[in-house]
Amino acid sequence: MKEKIAKLIEQAKLAVEQSHTLAFINNVKVKFLGKNGELTQLLRGMKDVPQEERPMVGKYVNEARDLITELTEEKTRQLAQAEIDEKMMKESVDITLDGKNTERGSLHPCTLVANEIVDIFTSLGFTLGEGPEIELDKFCFQMLNIPPDHPARDMQDTFYITDDILLRTHTSSVQARTMINTKPPIRIICPGKVYRPDDDATHSPMFQQIEGLVVDEKVTLCDLKGLLETFAQRLFDSSTKVRFRPSFFPFTEPSVEVDLSCSVCHGKGCRICKGTGWIEILGAGVVNPKVLDNCGIDSKKYKGLAFGLGVERVAMIKYGIPDMRILFENDVRFLKDFK
Ligand code: DAH
């Protein structure tokens, strides 16, 4: 019996040594220590062992079980660790490799300028107004005191879709839309795209405007000047001056063109202001009472102030861009300057 046990231990040692996978060592465990394993089989032979030798043989069997258990468990630990090590090797990340570069975009200079202008007016109590780019003739022209066949239509070449539907030529259409739906007081600022069939260094068939409208009981041209001065000084710098020149728009009376003192040369005269010291950036005026009445607002009780400006033009002045077309080419090298 003793030799049998010693032989079994030798066999087990060899089997453990030859185990190279966890599955294999598991089989070895079952083969030697399992319910029907070799050691159990040996124990069954105990009945043939003489009585006096049994305690001794029992001790050998127990020692053999402990030894084989220890050997298989140690091997199991080694194999499990080896498996983890191998996995770590396979899945290791080479941190010296170059990463994938994802370029960060930036806002377009026109968007930056439009956001800045809207921010200035919202900080002065204006709210955002909106209207469609595909517009009815009614809102774009008629309610703004430009009836069909009126010569004032020549001021704005128009893309017509049908006789009544067009691509809006200005954001002033939002004035009419807002006034028919809103009770005064009104203070809105409306950025948006507008369309006209012009295309050269200072015109594009699509461009952006920002419209402003105030309707209240006691507002005057002086308020308009103060408002636009505050705006201009926040957009450029606190030394910026505002000049009104008489003009004509069918929807305002009186109407003015608004010039700002040149932010580049501060009035001395330079390339940007074409030597005049002034830059024209807005059309504005006191809303024509006919427009208020057309939109259902009592022109005896209320007055309106309105203004409109071109976003591209302001961006060109603010960033010293000589040709409007650069703003539409979207050359990444140019756009990167605005990060
Ligand atoms: N809508 C005019 C244009 O596109 C700009 C303008 C002028 C808007 C005077 C106004 C205004 O609100 O009062 O040329």
Side-chain angles (χ1 to χ4, degrees), residues 2-268:
K2 198 180 163 190
E3 292 83 63
K4 275 192 186 166
I5 295 171
K7 211 172 144 205
L8 200 69
I9 290 175
E10 282 316 304
Q11 283 174 357
K13 272 186 183 165
L14 193 68
V16 169
E17 219 168 86
Q18 288 173 346
S19 298
H20 296 302
T21 65
L22 281 170
F24 201 99
I25 191 75
N26 235 357
N27 284 341
V28 172
K29 260 190 229 169
V30 175
K31 180 170 177 326
F32 289 94
L33 306 168
K35 239 200 272 166
N36 296 313
E38 310 257 348
L39 209 59
T40 323
Q41 303 283 355
L42 257 187
L43 278 173
R44 286 202 186 114
M46 278 288 265
K47 59 181 184 318
D48 304 328
V49 176
Q51 189 71 34
E52 63 280 11
E53 284 179 26
R54 279 191 194 168
M56 200 52 157
V57 173
K59 195 175 154 235
Y60 286 149
V61 172
N62 281 341
E63 278 173 5
R65 184 190 296 115
D66 290 350
L67 181 65
I68 296 172
T69 305
E70 196 181 306
L71 286 174
T72 50
E73 270 175 10
E74 174 56 23
K75 189 74 177 186
T76 306
R77 266 195 299 277
Q78 282 172 11
L79 289 172
Q81 186 58 47
E83 206 166 80
I84 291 171
D85 289 349
E86 197 189 329
K87 214 169 164 195
M88 298 275 270
M89 277 295 288
K90 270 197 204 142
E91 291 175 6
S92 70
V93 177
D94 183 353
I95 55 165
T96 62
L97 280 178
D98 282 347
K100 276 188 196 154
N101 240 352
T102 35
E103 287 248 359
R104 274 187 73 201
S106 55
L107 291 177
H108 191 277
C110 287
T111 310
L112 289 173
V113 164
N115 288 351
E116 198 179 341
I117 295 172
V118 170
D119 282 351
I120 294 172
F121 282 102
T122 49
S123 78
L124 295 169
F126 284 65
T127 54
L128 218 55
E130 261 187 340
E133 288 169 32
I134 299 172
E135 185 54 287
L136 293 172
D137 188 283
K138 179 171 96 170
F139 293 120
C140 196
F141 295 132
Q142 292 171 41
M143 294 181 92
L144 297 174
N145 195 32
I146 315 176
D149 304 322
H150 192 279
R153 293 214 177 198
D154 285 351
M155 290 169 80
Q156 299 183 3
D157 280 345
T158 309
F159 287 114
Y160 281 94
I161 294 168
T162 67
D163 284 349
D164 301 328
I165 301 172
L166 44 82
L167 296 183
R168 69 177 176 194
T169 53
H170 55 182
T171 41
S172 303
S173 52
V174 187
Q175 286 190 21
R177 281 189 173 270
T178 306
M179 283 192 276
I180 57 162
N181 287 320
T182 321
K183 276 214 175 93
I186 296 171
R187 267 184 200 78
I188 50 160
I189 188 82
C190 324
K193 296 192 178 82
V194 299
Y195 303 84
R196 294 182 202 179
D198 301 319
D199 202 359
D200 58 41
T202 49
H203 296 90
S204 149
M206 186 287 293
F207 59 106
Q208 297 176 64
Q209 281 190 337
I210 297 185
E211 185 80 14
L213 174 72
V214 175
V215 181
D216 211 334
E217 281 187 36
K218 288 183 185 103
V219 286
T220 66
L221 197 68
C222 287
D223 296 316
L224 181 66
K225 190 152 188 225
L227 176 67
L228 294 179
E229 207 163 65
T230 304
F231 157 67
Q233 290 177 353
R234 291 207 192 160
L235 186 64
F236 292 101
D237 65 67
S238 54
S239 65
T240 309
K241 292 186 186 59
V242 170
R243 175 172 89 171
F244 278 7
R245 276 181 294 114
S247 185
F248 170 79
F249 299 104
F251 30 91
T252 42
E253 185 56 44
S255 303
V256 291
E257 304 273 5
V258 184
D259 296 340
L260 306 187
S261 57
C262 179
S263 60
V264 179
C265 64
H266 299 283
K268 289 194 197 79

